[in-house]
Amino acid sequence: MRRNASTGRIREYQYRGECPMRCLTRFAVLLMLLITMAGCAVQQADEPTPTPLPPPPEPTLQVQRGEVIQQVQLTGSIGPAVTVGAAFGVEGKIETVYVAQYEEVTAGEVLADLNVLDELEEELELAREEAEAQAKAAQEVIRRAEIALEIAQLSLKVAQAQGRSAEEIRIEELKVEVAQMDLDKIIANLDLQSSGRVSELETAIENARLYAPMDGQLLSSLSPGRNVRPNTPVAVVGDPSVLELVVSATDEQLEILIPNMTVSITLDDKPDDVLAGYVRVLPYPYGNSATEDDGTVRITLISSPEEAGYKIGDAAHITAVIAQRDNVLWVPPDVIRNVAGRTFVIVKAPAGLQRVDVKTGVASRDRVEIIEGLSEGQIVIAP
């Protein structure tokens, strides 16, 4: 018990002796923190205040004087001026192709046939055999009708030779007429029965073949396995003796093109040569197309293929000038603003920025004619 009490007192004395040391240590750490913070504050106070960056300058453009050309850019390819489509008359899948693309063909030449052709030809052969059998079986019926007609004719002759009464002779004449009608009816029915199915199959076989509609050149590529629909053109034959440009255009472009408008043409494989031409045909309802409306623009080249060196399939770029203004004021399209029906630009003036209403004219991709509102040399703000 004493040792425990003595030990407890010793520990109590040790604890009381350690308290001043711990307090000194904590005070020293706190003092160092205060000195460090004060140094940072002094350092921050010594740093100069940064100068704010000026706002970026507004992009400006100058009103200039020059030419403004509104034009339409088109692409097309050289093709025959006269083309005719070819179609199958029945539905099916192309089985055999006999003519390759760009080969010369003659009118009526078979270009391809369908996979149903073999089946139709087999049916036709069976139909012909059946028709022949029916015709042979009907020979007796026909012969009986012929005999009846001949008997009636002989009876009429006898009555006439014997000088019988007019009524009796008339009866014999009517018998001849009836016998003739019976024979004609039998023959007609036999023709319908025997030739009806045969004729139907012969027509189907013709429809299962694709024929060249005219002399010329096959412009299309026919591929075996392609599904086709009745009376839907799958190939085009053209006359290679007269060539022109075949061009596809958007509705927006078609609205500003006009027949006989002159154009400049550049062939893709001869970019340095500029050829002249004119719009020959515009598709309905934009122009003068009446019978050859396939939805394309047709452009005639002034130079012949021999002179300019072009051929079927050559690609080309076409430029049509819609309007041109020389020595006029212009600005880039980006500086013109349209808000709530108001057309204006922002002008940099000595008093500051100002909105100025303008009246515009001809426009191209990079220039817009200014008719009213601005003067040459004024500075406008770009967006």
Side-chain angles (χ1 to χ4, degrees):
M1 295 294 292
R2 290 180 181 177
R3 185 167 49 185
N4 291 340
S6 175
T7 303
R9 284 195 294 271
I10 292 172
R11 290 179 179 175
E12 181 180 357
Y13 295 150
Q14 289 176 348
Y15 175 78
R16 290 177 180 177
E18 289 174 356
C19 180
M21 293 299 295
R22 288 185 178 181
C23 291
L24 289 174
T25 302
R26 292 176 180 174
F27 178 77
V29 172
L30 180 60
L31 182 61
M32 292 178 65
L33 289 173
L34 291 173
I35 294 172
T36 302
M37 293 176 63
C40 292
V42 172
Q43 184 177 2
Q44 291 178 357
D46 293 339
E47 291 181 355
T49 302
T51 303
L53 296 175
E58 295 175 332
T60 59
L61 297 167
Q62 193 174 36
V63 180
Q64 301 183 49
R65 185 175 293 277
E67 67 177 13
V68 180
I69 302 175
Q70 181 185 6
Q71 57 189 15
V72 175
Q73 300 287 341
L74 304 167
T75 58
S77 60
I78 300 294
V82 178
T83 59
V84 180
F88 290 98
V90 294
E91 185 176 359
K93 185 180 294 184
I94 295 179
E95 179 75 15
T96 307
V97 176
Y98 301 102
V99 181
Q101 186 178 20
Y102 298 130
E103 283 189 4
E104 298 291 331
V105 297
T106 57
E109 181 178 351
V110 178
L111 306 178
D113 55 38
L114 299 179
N115 59 338
V116 297
L117 184 62
D118 292 341
E119 180 180 350
L120 291 173
E121 288 178 339
E122 291 177 0
E123 290 186 27
L124 176 60
E125 184 177 354
L126 293 175
R128 283 174 174 169
E129 292 176 357
E130 183 179 353
E132 290 176 1
Q134 290 177 353
K136 187 175 181 180
Q139 290 301 316
E140 182 179 349
V141 177
I142 295 175
R143 183 55 186 158
R144 286 179 180 275
E146 290 175 343
I147 292 173
L149 175 61
E150 187 175 356
I151 291 173
Q153 292 171 340
L154 292 174
S155 297
L156 174 60
K157 288 182 179 180
V158 170
Q160 291 172 340
Q162 294 177 351
R164 295 182 183 180
S165 65
E167 290 79 5
E168 291 177 326
I169 293 175
R170 180 56 182 161
I171 291 173
E172 297 301 327
E173 289 176 345
L174 292 175
K175 289 180 179 179
V176 172
E177 185 176 350
V178 170
Q180 183 66 59
M181 292 172 60
D182 290 341
L183 177 61
D184 292 342
K185 184 177 180 180
I186 291 173
I187 294 175
N189 288 338
L190 289 176
D191 286 341
L192 290 175
Q193 294 174 4
S194 61
S195 63
R197 179 57 178 165
V198 172
S199 177
E200 179 183 339
L201 289 170
E202 288 175 343
T203 301
I205 288 174
E206 290 295 306
N207 290 333
R209 292 191 176 105
L210 186 68
Y211 296 93
M214 59 179 288
D215 293 344
Q217 193 175 64
L218 178 63
L219 304 180
S220 307
S221 176
L222 297 170
S223 303
R226 175 182 173 182
N227 293 317
V228 299
R229 293 183 177 182
N231 304 316
T232 301
V234 295
V236 176
V237 176
D239 180 4
S241 62
V242 181
L243 302 181
E244 65 182 2
L245 272 169
V246 182
V247 180
S248 296
T250 64
D251 290 340
E252 182 180 358
Q253 292 170 332
L254 290 171
E255 287 177 354
I256 56 179
L257 293 174
I258 58 175
N260 300 319
M261 173 183 288
T262 58
V263 298
S264 58
I265 303 159
T266 303
L267 299 174
D268 286 5
D269 57 353
K270 296 181 179 180
D272 296 331
D273 298 336
V274 179
L275 306 177
Y278 63 90
V279 177
R280 183 178 71 85
V281 171
L282 290 175
Y284 178 84
Y286 300 99
N288 52 349
S289 177
T291 59
E292 49 183 333
D293 189 4
D294 59 356
T296 60
V297 179
R298 298 302 183 102
I299 296 177
T300 298
L301 292 90
I302 303 301
S303 303
S304 66
E306 294 75 18
E307 294 171 340
Y310 56 84
K311 62 185 183 302
I312 292 178
D314 285 351
H317 283 74
I318 304 98
T319 301
V321 176
I322 307 303
Q324 181 172 345
R325 299 289 185 270
D326 297 323
N327 195 30
V328 296
L329 297 178
W330 65 269
V331 294
D334 293 343
V335 307
I336 298 177
R337 295 166 167 82
N338 293 278
V339 179
R342 181 184 178 188
T343 302
F344 63 91
V345 298
I346 298 178
V347 176
K348 187 175 183 180
L353 301 182
Q354 297 178 352
R355 292 186 178 184
V356 177
D357 292 335
V358 295
K359 181 179 179 181
T360 60
V362 173
S364 66
R365 289 184 178 180
D366 55 355
R367 297 184 180 187
V368 177
E369 178 190 8
I370 300 298
I371 299 176
E372 295 178 1
L374 298 176
S375 58
E376 185 177 359
Q378 280 187 290
I379 303 300
V380 294
I381 305 300

